[in-house]
Amino acid sequence: MNIYQNKNAPQDCLCKPCFPNNCPPSPRPCSVNIVPIPGPTGATGPTGATGATGVTGPTGVTGPTGVTGPTGVTGPTGATGPTGVTGPTGVTGPTGMTGPTGATGPTGVTGPTGVTGPTGVTGPTGATGPTGATGPAGSTGSTGTAATVAVGTVITGEPGSAAAVTNSGTQQNAVFDFVIPQGNTGSGAAPAEFLNAYSTPAQAGSAGGALIFDRNGTQNGNAVSHSNNTSAIILQEPGYYNVAFHTAVAPASGVNFPFSVLLYLAQDGVQVSGTGVQHIFHTSADVSNLAFSQIVAVTTAPSTLTVVGGSGKFLYSDMGITVNKLSGLS
């Protein structure tokens, strides 16, 4: 039921309560332009049953954050929680500065001596020291009794038997008896054949030139020959010959130092192995003795021997050569 009022003239009409569109007549009938007038609030009726929850509407816009309130009193510390997993080790930082050296600690107990190592190689012998002063002479001993030695018997033994010497006297007065075996009968040795040549005054030598022997010394046989003031020694027979040579050598004037002189023996123009001798001079006052000795074989006679200078200009003097025939070819 509603109460209606003319909205155009609310002072003119006041309807009684009625059902809509069915109000009784009044001093001025109610019309469709009448709006309801709120009546007094009635007593609250009993709460009806809660209706079904409607659909939740959309969440409204979040309001601005309020002012932060004062911090509350700190509560008691809670129990320590379990240790978490150790994280990875961080990068090592730079090494710090070395601190000052600490005081030296006390010396430790000496350890046991180690095993002796092997003996090292013996070093070179040192230079001989100067000879010490001669000590005083000892006192002269007493004169002893002179011993005597005499020859007793001398017996010729059989060829091939052992020689023997026996003392038939005493240690003070010895008498020696000899047994000397007879030698085997020889077949007769061939006479020695040799030649010696020499040159005394200084002579000039040069590279490739043969040295000249002025004179012949001792000679025996016909196997070796030489003519005075020539360089050639002639071996006249096949066989083996021993050649021994020596000379004094000095540099000629005008050479440049260091200066080398080489000499060698040539047989038929070919150098004989093992006969090269050399000296290097550093001043014009130097003098050197050069020598060689070698055995040569002659298969076809005659054969010529010469001593040849191998380098430079030089002077030679006090020169000698000896050639001995040793044997024939076997």
Side-chain angles (χ1 to χ4, degrees):
M1 180 175 66
N2 294 318
I3 296 175
Y4 294 89
Q5 183 182 36
N6 187 339
K7 68 177 183 176
N8 296 321
Q11 68 278 9
D12 292 338
C13 179
L14 178 68
C15 292
K16 296 182 179 181
C18 63
F19 294 98
N21 300 318
N22 193 22
C23 287
S26 61
R28 191 173 287 184
C30 296
S31 63
V32 295
N33 57 354
I34 298 175
V35 295
I37 298 174
T41 300
T44 301
T47 302
T50 302
T53 301
V55 177
T56 301
T59 302
V61 178
T62 302
T65 302
V67 178
T68 302
T71 302
V73 178
T74 302
T77 303
T80 302
T83 302
V85 178
T86 302
T89 302
V91 179
T92 302
T95 303
M97 295 177 61
T98 303
T101 303
T104 303
T107 302
V109 179
T110 302
T113 302
V115 179
T116 302
T119 302
V121 179
T122 302
T125 302
T128 302
T131 303
T134 303
S139 57
T140 303
S142 57
T143 303
T145 303
T148 61
V149 177
V151 176
T153 60
V154 178
I155 301 174
T156 301
E158 293 297 324
S161 63
V165 179
T166 57
N167 183 7
S168 58
T170 64
Q171 290 185 349
Q172 188 66 28
N173 299 298
V175 177
F176 293 120
D177 298 326
F178 295 88
V179 176
I180 302 175
Q182 180 177 348
N184 294 321
T185 303
S187 59
E193 295 187 85
F194 56 86
L195 179 140
N196 169 262
Y198 62 91
S199 179
T200 301
Q203 299 187 66
S206 60
L211 278 58
I212 296 175
F213 299 94
D214 289 346
R215 298 286 183 270
N216 288 340
T218 307
Q219 180 180 7
N220 189 59
N222 299 317
V224 186
S225 64
H226 169 258
S227 299
N228 291 341
N229 297 311
T230 63
S231 60
I233 306 293
I234 309 301
L235 307 181
Q236 303 285 4
E237 301 173 358
Y240 295 101
Y241 295 80
N242 180 72
V243 181
F245 168 84
H246 69 88
T247 188
V249 178
S253 63
V255 299
N256 296 320
F257 297 99
F259 173 70
S260 175
V261 171
L262 170 68
L263 300 179
Y264 61 86
L265 177 68
Q267 181 178 9
D268 298 325
V270 179
Q271 181 175 348
V272 177
S273 299
T275 61
V277 288
Q278 183 179 26
H279 182 76
I280 298 176
F281 296 89
H282 296 279
T283 68
S284 59
D286 286 350
V287 177
S288 177
N289 290 311
L290 301 181
F292 59 75
S293 178
Q294 186 61 287
I295 295 175
V296 298
V298 176
T299 56
T300 302
S303 180
T304 302
L305 300 179
T306 53
V307 177
V308 181
S311 59
K313 294 181 179 181
F314 57 93
L315 300 176
Y316 61 93
S317 61
D318 297 322
M319 178 176 65
I321 188 168
T322 300
V323 180
N324 287 288
K325 182 179 181 182
L326 301 177
S327 68
L329 296 175
S330 57

